[in-house]
Amino acid sequence: LPPPSQSSSNNADKIRVFDAGCGLGAGLMWFEQHEPKWDLVGHTISEEQYKWIVEDLPKHNFVARLRSYDEPLGGSDDGDGRNTNGDNDSPSLFNAVYSIEAAVHSPDLQRSLTAWSDALLPGGVIVIVDDFLSLGVSRDDPDIDLFARSWIANAVHTTVEISNWAEKMGMMLVRDRDLGSEFQIIKRNYRNKAPVLRDEQGRAHQGWLGSKVRQKLMVEGKISY
């Protein structure tokens, strides 16, 4: 996050938010319902997700784009970073960029973080909610490697690594929240049990394996959320 000396605008009707990896648009829809004056833009590289947002999602005002979240572009700019034409591809700045369970799939998270930082208005914030490598755990751990390959987790890093990158970009870490502990995810979602990585029903597809490896590593404390 930028230094606190760079204060953001308090004019709520000009708040612009970018969803880096919007999936099926759930986050954008939530914000639209709770903050209807905000301008919301999201990117996904999934044609299926984009088609569902455009064709099947209930009526909405947010803009979804079929493009990489390393390209946080908006429409034409009215001078203060606000998007005034969602059909153009000229750069536009945001008050906030958030990524929920999408940053871990970035082929180059440092590059993604740079792109998001460049898209921020002064005083803007970046929020990343995702899986992170726990301190003291090696990226070369065979279990971590299996997680990376099965979950397509290209960017398995510690929060310390990301904070160090951010400082080099002129930003600062405001808060590092352990949501896994705060909301008792291991107890509530996994009942404190690590799964067996063999399915008696014969399921072996990537999504099933990735989710089970993720559960195992969370229970063992090798990754945090």
Side-chain angles (χ1 to χ4, degrees), residues 36-50:
K37 291 185 178 181
W38 289 8
D39 289 332
L40 303 168
V41 180
H43 285 187
T44 177
I45 59 172
S46 167
E47 293 185 8
E48 290 78 10
Q49 290 177 344
Y50 175 74

Side-chain angles (χ1 to χ4, degrees), residues 42-46 65-73 88-89:
H43 285 187
T44 177
I45 59 172
S46 167
R65 298 182 183 281
L66 182 61
R67 66 191 312 157
S68 168
Y69 56 43
D70 285 351
E71 304 171 349
L73 307 178
N88 291 334
D89 284 339

Side-chain angles (χ1 to χ4, degrees), residues 16-173:
R16 300 201 63 244
V17 178
F18 176 66
D19 186 330
C22 65
L24 295 172
L28 292 167
M29 184 65 81
W30 189 92
F31 278 116
E32 182 170 302
Q33 292 173 349
H34 290 78
E35 300 290 348
K37 291 185 178 181
W38 289 8
D39 289 332
L40 303 168
V41 180
H43 285 187
T44 177
I45 59 172
S46 167
E47 293 185 8
E48 290 78 10
Q49 290 177 344
Y50 175 74
K51 182 179 179 181
W52 194 87
I53 291 173
V54 173
E55 298 181 1
D56 299 322
L57 198 65
K59 183 179 179 181
H60 55 274
N61 295 317
F62 66 79
V63 176
R65 298 182 183 281
L66 182 61
R67 66 191 312 157
S68 168
Y69 56 43
D70 285 351
E71 304 171 349
L73 307 178
S76 58
D77 200 303
D78 67 0
D80 66 352
R82 184 173 184 179
N83 183 4
T84 58
N85 185 349
D87 294 328
N88 291 334
D89 284 339
S90 58
S92 196
L93 301 180
F94 298 89
N95 300 92
V97 174
Y98 71 88
S99 180
I100 301 176
E101 299 186 9
V104 75
H105 302 301
S106 172
D108 185 341
L109 186 54
Q110 193 166 0
R111 174 186 172 186
S112 298
L113 194 61
T114 299
W116 302 343
S117 173
D118 290 344
L120 283 180
L121 285 162
V125 298
I126 296 175
V127 180
I128 301 175
V129 180
D130 221 314
D131 301 312
F132 295 97
L133 186 67
S134 297
L135 292 176
V137 178
S138 172
R139 176 60 181 81
D140 296 325
D141 185 308
D143 287 341
I144 299 296
D145 183 60
L146 180 59
F147 168 67
R149 290 185 288 113
S150 61
W151 198 241
I152 318 179
N154 303 308
V156 185
H157 301 283
T158 66
T159 56
V160 172
E161 287 180 274
I162 295 174
S163 177
N164 290 338
W165 295 341
E167 288 184 6
K168 294 178 181 178
M169 299 172 196
M171 299 185 289
M172 59 178 288
L173 177 66

